[in-house]
Amino acid sequence: MGTAKKAMFGGLRRWWGILTFLLLIAAWKDSTVGPAVVLALSVVTLLWCAFQAPVACGAPVRGRSDGCRNNAYGLMLGCRQVRQHTFANLRLLFVRRQVREFCKDLFSDGVHVVVTLAGIGSFLSGLVAFVPGIAR
Ligand SMILES: [Zn+2]
């Protein structure tokens, strides 16, 4: 618990996507902020979730039920310590078309859930900001 917390806050630099996500929520509440700002925040948050968020790699490892615990690079990429893991998620999604398996990974632990929800939230907000008329 103690070490997990330390790792989380020690790596605050890698958690900037949460900050942009909070800014995004603030931007939605503030009616003076234009849709261009909302769209920009949505895009960077979404990119962070997909390619930067420090989630656990989760690639299958023989003898471990919870898979690889190295830090990965976003929901789309795996860790860089093991070469086969780096693109394991993308392969799962696009080559093997195991969408259900991929989606299961998105909710495999607390960090994944937070990042996944931030990703979904920013995607929807970007969509709404992009379509004029819905926003406000
Ligand atoms: Zn890995």
Side-chain angles (χ1 to χ4, degrees), residues 57-59 61 68-70 78-82 85-86:
C57 170
V61 174
C68 176
R69 299 314 288 170
N70 287 330
C79 68
R80 291 195 184 150
Q81 284 89 330
V82 185
H85 290 181
T86 309

Side-chain angles (χ1 to χ4, degrees), residues 26-113:
W28 272 114
K29 287 185 172 166
D30 187 346
S31 55
T32 60
V33 177
V37 176
V38 171
L39 189 62
L41 285 172
S42 305
V43 170
V44 292
T45 307
L46 195 59
L47 286 175
W48 175 81
C49 292
F51 301 114
Q52 281 278 294
V55 292
C57 170
V61 174
R62 211 170 297 177
R64 292 203 59 159
S65 58
D66 57 349
C68 176
R69 299 314 288 170
N70 287 330
N71 262 344
Y73 290 81
L75 297 170
M76 291 294 165
L77 302 177
C79 68
R80 291 195 184 150
Q81 284 89 330
V82 185
R83 221 174 171 190
Q84 296 97 302
H85 290 181
T86 309
F87 297 107
N89 276 334
L90 286 178
R91 264 205 308 275
L92 199 63
L93 197 57
F94 295 107
V95 180
R96 291 162 67 196
R97 295 192 182 276
Q98 292 182 336
V99 177
R100 190 184 296 177
E101 196 62 24
F102 179 79
C103 290
K104 210 177 74 190
D105 279 355
L106 293 182
F107 297 97
S108 57
D109 58 37
V111 180
H112 269 94
V113 171

